[in-house]
Amino acid sequence: MDASLLLVEDDDATRAFLADNLAADGFHVATATDAGEAVRAIEVRRPDVVVLDLLLEGPGGLTVLDRVRASDGLGSRIDPDLPVIVVSARAAEVDRLRGFARGADDYVTKPFSYPELVARVRALLRRAAGRPGRGLVRAGELTVDPLTRAVRLAGAPVALSAKEFALLHMLASDPTRVFSKPELLRDVWGYLAAGNSRTVDAHACRLRRKLAGGGRRYVQNVRGVGYRLTEAP
């Protein structure tokens, strides 16, 4: 088991017990004690799964869950599909339902059986392994790495702004598809209502110029619709 796990727990004894046993069971364990530390750890460490206590000092664990599920997965370093298993002393049905409604993948109540917790974590990881990957994307001589946010064209690095990278990553996720401007405004810029399509056009124009060195026109405007990524010269 090589999975990385972030344990978010503010009780010292519980955190030490779980961290020691999870490490002994083969997980690479990192810990956090509050919501802010947990979000930073998710951004930097990019764990495979999070074990999250809800009753934290300050903003509770649901704040962490909300931050993960609200991520766009493009401009942010947080995967919105990150598997999260909640561990909480709140055992009432309404609490469990609230946790699931906010995006928990599983909910374990305290006190719990450690072997059952490990079994649930491993089951969650198996399900997550079946999801489409967010790994390195290649299109011709262009490579886009969402983990390091690195873009290379014919082996040379390309410097992009956060939104330029988010736009390119979305286009590269399905190079044969035309993405409409409203769709790009929603998923890259977070506009829930119709926004100014010139925002998309301006970023696409800059992106096209930065990718022009490879001798191919990678970012193509489909008139009246939107944009696609193409490998055609």
Side-chain angles (χ1 to χ4, degrees), residues 151-211:
V151 176
R152 291 184 174 273
L153 183 60
V158 180
L160 300 179
S161 70
K163 288 302 182 185
E164 288 167 354
F165 177 85
L167 175 59
L168 176 60
H169 185 210
M170 186 167 181
L171 296 176
S173 68
D174 192 348
T176 65
R177 177 184 167 196
V178 178
F179 291 85
S180 70
K181 290 181 183 180
E183 185 178 11
L184 293 169
L185 283 167
R186 182 194 67 207
D187 292 344
V188 176
W189 280 269
Y191 294 164
L192 298 180
N196 188 348
S197 63
R198 291 181 181 177
T199 299
V200 180
D201 295 332
H203 281 77
C205 183
R206 288 196 294 270
L207 189 56
R208 185 185 295 122
R209 287 200 300 267
K210 291 183 177 183
L211 299 178

Side-chain angles (χ1 to χ4, degrees), residues 14 72 102:
T14 302
D72 60 13
R102 300 279 278 270

Side-chain angles (χ1 to χ4, degrees), residues 136-145 150-158 160 165 167-169 171-173 175 207 210-212 214 216-219 228-231:
L136 190 69
V137 178
R138 299 181 185 275
E141 294 183 306
L142 179 68
T143 61
V144 182
D145 188 341
V151 176
R152 291 184 174 273
L153 183 60
V158 180
L160 300 179
F165 177 85
L167 175 59
L168 176 60
H169 185 210
L171 296 176
S173 68
L207 189 56
K210 291 183 177 183
L211 299 178
R216 293 173 179 262
R217 190 179 179 86
Y218 280 95
V219 179
R228 62 165 291 185
L229 193 71
T230 175
E231 298 181 36

Side-chain angles (χ1 to χ4, degrees), residues 34-152:
D34 59 46
E37 188 180 1
V39 171
R40 289 191 295 273
I42 290 170
E43 291 176 328
V44 173
R45 295 181 177 275
R46 304 185 68 88
D48 296 308
V49 62
V50 175
V51 175
L52 175 66
D53 182 26
L54 293 188
L55 298 178
L56 304 174
E57 289 290 334
L62 288 177
T63 302
V64 179
L65 194 53
D66 289 342
R67 180 69 179 273
V68 170
R69 298 302 181 234
S71 171
D72 60 13
L74 299 170
S76 169
R77 289 182 58 83
I78 298 177
D79 178 358
D81 297 322
L82 174 65
V84 178
I85 182 168
V86 164
V87 178
S88 176
R90 292 176 173 171
E93 180 183 41
V94 65
D95 293 311
R96 298 196 304 273
L97 292 176
R98 184 180 296 117
F100 285 121
R102 300 279 278 270
D105 294 284
D106 202 351
Y107 196 109
V108 176
T109 58
K110 296 180 179 179
F112 55 84
S113 159
Y114 174 75
E116 180 183 353
L117 175 64
V118 173
R120 287 176 178 269
V121 169
R122 286 176 171 157
L124 187 54
L125 286 168
R126 285 194 299 271
R127 293 197 298 271
R131 293 188 289 128
R134 293 178 178 263
L136 190 69
V137 178
R138 299 181 185 275
E141 294 183 306
L142 179 68
T143 61
V144 182
D145 188 341
L147 296 181
T148 62
R149 306 178 69 79
V151 176
R152 291 184 174 273

